[in-house]
Amino acid sequence: MNTCLNHLHGKQKIQYIWDYYKLPAIICLIFLYIISYTVYGHFTRKETLLYAGLVNVSASEPFADELSYGFLDFLDADSSKKELKLYTGLYLTDTPDDPNHEYTYASRIKTVASIDDEKLDVVLMNKEAFDAFSQNGYLCNIEELLRELDPKTMAECKPYVTANTVILEDNADDIMFDRSLSYQAVTDEFPMGLLVSQKGLFKRAGFDGDVYLGVIKNSPRMDLAIEYIEYLCTDK
């Protein structure tokens, strides 16, 4: 190669070096990019303290910030290192002729996947979504969680505790194959939700419509879910 380079000048020499080394150079650049991206991601990645979702509930950007960044301020957490992950735009309905069928299906898949991955802790939802989460057995007993609050906050929250029905067993699958069967189900009822629109942050915001809070029963962050309930329901 040195002999060839001695006979080349200017652009020809540059072109020759490029042709000879371009593949190793490209490979090196790719590796450098991957390493830099990994290092950057490691040092800028935030720890997610809590995962919350708005289901069939819309919030303005300022109010969404209160639901997320406001909670970090409540905890005195560093927002450059910690975060509350707030899922927005989730929409669930059992109405068969709903025009947003495809969007509803995608929301349902995302919601179930988040629950299975333990990346959904608290749900803020309307009555229709509250019924759906309850019937599917996703929500824990909210009354038991409230016992972890200080007595004053627990007493203030108690009037807003709302019971709902969970379906323990039904014959829905059998009906799909035999339409002559009537629907039958074994159910249970217990307190699963908190009507947060009547108190605290939602009430101060003048939020329109009922909003229920539920806590997903497989959440590994129950302690922070309790803190979130306190943050939302505290009257300032």
Side-chain angles (χ1 to χ4, degrees):
M1 178 182 172
N2 290 335
T3 305
C4 294
L5 280 175
N6 292 334
H7 292 86
L8 297 174
H9 302 281
K11 291 183 179 180
Q12 289 181 329
K13 183 179 288 188
I14 294 171
Q15 184 64 47
Y16 184 87
I17 293 172
W18 171 245
D19 291 341
Y20 194 84
Y21 284 110
K22 68 179 176 182
L23 184 57
I26 290 171
I27 293 172
C28 286
L29 287 172
I30 291 172
F31 274 108
L32 283 172
Y33 173 79
I34 294 171
I35 292 169
S36 301
Y37 184 81
T38 303
V39 170
Y40 177 79
H42 174 75
F43 286 105
T44 58
R45 185 183 297 121
K46 294 183 179 182
E47 177 190 356
T48 302
L49 299 179
L50 194 72
Y51 294 88
L54 294 173
V55 186
N56 295 8
V57 172
S58 298
S60 65
E61 188 173 337
F63 190 62
D65 286 344
E66 285 195 72
L67 292 173
S68 52
Y69 294 109
F71 180 55
L72 299 181
D73 292 339
F74 176 77
L75 296 177
D76 288 326
D78 185 350
S79 60
S80 67
K81 297 179 180 178
K82 315 281 186 181
E83 69 172 356
L84 180 148
K85 177 67 176 177
L86 182 66
Y87 301 115
T88 59
L90 296 176
Y91 179 65
L92 301 178
T93 182
D94 287 328
T95 305
D97 56 350
D98 187 89
N100 298 311
H101 173 73
E102 290 186 6
Y103 185 76
T104 302
Y105 178 76
S107 290
R108 190 181 300 274
I109 294 296
K110 180 178 180 179
T111 302
V112 172
S114 297
I115 293 172
D116 289 343
D117 291 341
E118 297 183 347
K119 291 186 176 180
L120 184 58
D121 305 302
V122 176
V123 192
L124 298 162
M125 53 203 160
N126 72 348
K127 184 61 166 63
E128 183 179 17
F130 179 38
D131 290 342
F133 274 87
S134 301
Q135 290 168 10
N136 283 283
Y138 290 139
L139 303 179
C140 71
N141 189 318
I142 198 78
E143 213 164 53
E144 293 178 358
L145 284 186
L146 293 181
R147 293 182 191 138
E148 302 297 324
L149 295 169
D150 66 84
K152 181 176 180 295
T153 306
M154 183 181 72
E156 290 177 353
C157 289
K158 198 165 184 179
Y160 305 101
V161 170
T162 307
N164 214 330
T165 303
V166 56
I167 298 174
L168 302 175
E169 183 182 330
D170 67 9
N171 64 340
D173 291 339
D174 296 333
I175 292 175
M176 291 179 63
F177 298 100
D178 186 353
R179 296 290 182 180
S180 66
L181 295 174
S182 58
Y183 179 74
Q184 295 179 334
V186 179
T187 64
D188 190 17
E189 185 174 304
F190 59 88
M192 303 182 200
L194 195 62
L195 189 58
V196 291
S197 52
Q198 301 297 314
K199 185 171 174 56
L201 186 63
F202 278 87
K203 186 176 181 180
R204 291 195 299 274
F207 209 81
D208 191 22
D210 290 339
V211 178
Y212 297 85
L213 178 147
V215 178
I216 304 299
K217 66 181 181 182
N218 73 339
S219 167
R221 290 165 285 270
M222 287 292 182
D223 55 337
L224 281 161
I226 294 165
E227 295 263 23
Y228 197 54
I229 291 172
E230 184 177 356
Y231 165 65
L232 293 180
C233 295
T234 300
D235 291 321
K236 296 180 180 178

